[in-house]
Amino acid sequence: MAFMREQGEPRLRLDVAVQYYQKALNAFSALLTKPDSAHSDEILASSIMLSSYEMFDVVGQNFGSHLRGVASLLQLWQITGESTGIKGVVYWTWYRSDTWAALHAGRRMFLDERYWEPRAVESLDQLSPEEIANRAVFLLGQCISFCNDDVGPETPETVGGLAATRQRTSTKLWDALEQWKRMLPPSMTHHVVAQVIRDDQDEEEQADQCLRAVSSMLFLSPHCGKSTPTFNKGP
């Protein structure tokens, strides 16, 4: 990770930056052994900051190791997407990072719907844009896990069982995606644009052409869009 001056001159060499990173890891490990700090919000915030460094600068077999560690902390402290305060922020920040890492590595999510999933709702109208965006990211994580679910070859003892389980998972995921599409509020599914009105059109034609839904336009929540440029390391 490079640190640059305004004139473009390097402020820290790469090896120096790595040394600071190692010191941060050692300090973090030491804090985990202390009862008065092991369950603090500062530990959670530090863990997600260190895993963010990994997203930028770690490659090879070690890629994703910090995300696995954060997942273990979330499980140990029973932190979910419904947790409030810094705990909820860390969960969803971690989840967004793990979707990209899982997609990049071709693996399942470290934590999926078997650990926690959003509560069922009859409508998305009462949810905030952030909550709706989080549900979209959660569905993305489920799709990634399903596509990378390496169940292995069937054995005589499991003939038909693995296929049936995968089919049930596929049906459940498809139903969830269809339900998501049906429940999206109009503000996220339709966009109105102004059309050029000709003088020879009557009032009804003008009104119909003036306001027209563009069904092919995608709605991108800013809560989802931030992670895309941040973690896009290129081909």
Side-chain angles (χ1 to χ4, degrees):
M1 182 178 293
F3 295 83
M4 308 296 292
R5 297 183 186 273
E6 291 183 0
Q7 296 82 2
E9 179 184 351
R11 180 180 300 176
L12 288 177
R13 299 193 314 273
L14 179 60
D15 59 332
V16 177
V18 172
Q19 290 177 13
Y20 280 112
Y21 174 64
Q22 293 297 333
K23 288 182 179 180
L25 284 179
N26 293 335
F28 180 80
S29 299
L31 287 174
L32 282 176
T33 63
K34 298 180 179 180
D36 57 339
S37 61
H39 291 266
S40 66
D41 289 346
E42 288 78 5
I43 283 291
L44 280 177
S46 299
S47 68
I48 205 66
M49 290 174 65
L50 289 172
S51 69
S52 297
Y53 175 93
E54 179 187 47
M55 299 298 293
F56 286 111
D57 226 51
V58 177
V59 295
Q61 294 182 348
N62 292 327
F63 180 73
S65 59
H66 289 311
L67 290 173
R68 185 188 295 274
V70 177
S72 298
L73 288 178
L74 296 175
Q75 284 182 297
L76 180 63
W77 300 346
Q78 297 183 343
I79 297 173
T80 68
E82 291 183 341
S83 299
T84 58
I86 188 65
K87 293 180 175 61
V89 172
V90 168
Y91 176 88
W92 286 113
T93 302
W94 169 86
Y95 198 94
R96 282 163 168 76
S97 298
D98 200 41
T99 54
W100 187 90
L103 189 63
H104 178 77
R107 61 163 173 81
R108 291 182 58 88
M109 300 280 292
F110 286 139
L111 296 179
D112 55 21
E113 67 278 5
R114 292 173 293 186
Y115 170 68
W116 174 84
E117 59 183 343
R119 57 183 173 82
V121 294
E122 296 182 357
S123 171
L124 301 180
D125 294 338
Q126 303 303 319
L127 301 181
S128 67
E130 181 178 2
E131 290 173 320
I132 295 176
N134 287 340
R135 286 173 178 261
V137 173
F138 186 83
L139 281 174
L140 173 62
Q142 286 184 286
C143 292
I144 293 172
S145 290
F146 178 79
C147 293
N148 293 304
D149 192 7
D150 185 12
V151 296
E154 287 191 324
T155 64
E157 294 78 13
T158 61
V159 170
L162 295 178
T165 299
R166 186 166 177 81
Q167 181 60 45
R168 286 194 298 270
T169 303
S170 174
T171 301
K172 179 182 178 181
L173 184 56
W174 178 264
D175 290 343
L177 291 170
E178 288 297 308
Q179 182 187 43
W180 163 261
K181 185 167 62 175
R182 290 194 304 268
M183 293 173 60
L184 276 178
S187 61
M188 291 188 172
T189 55
H190 294 86
H191 295 260
V192 177
V193 296
Q195 302 289 332
V196 177
I197 300 175
R198 301 194 309 271
D199 294 336
D200 59 347
Q201 290 178 311
D202 57 33
E203 292 184 359
E204 184 176 349
E205 289 178 329
Q206 290 179 4
D208 178 66
Q209 189 172 359
C210 184
L211 299 177
R212 182 172 299 174
V214 181
S215 59
S216 61
M217 186 178 294
L218 296 177
F219 178 90
L220 294 178
S221 168
H223 300 92
C224 293
K226 183 186 297 184
S227 63
T228 303
T230 301
F231 298 140
N232 182 12
K233 299 173 69 174

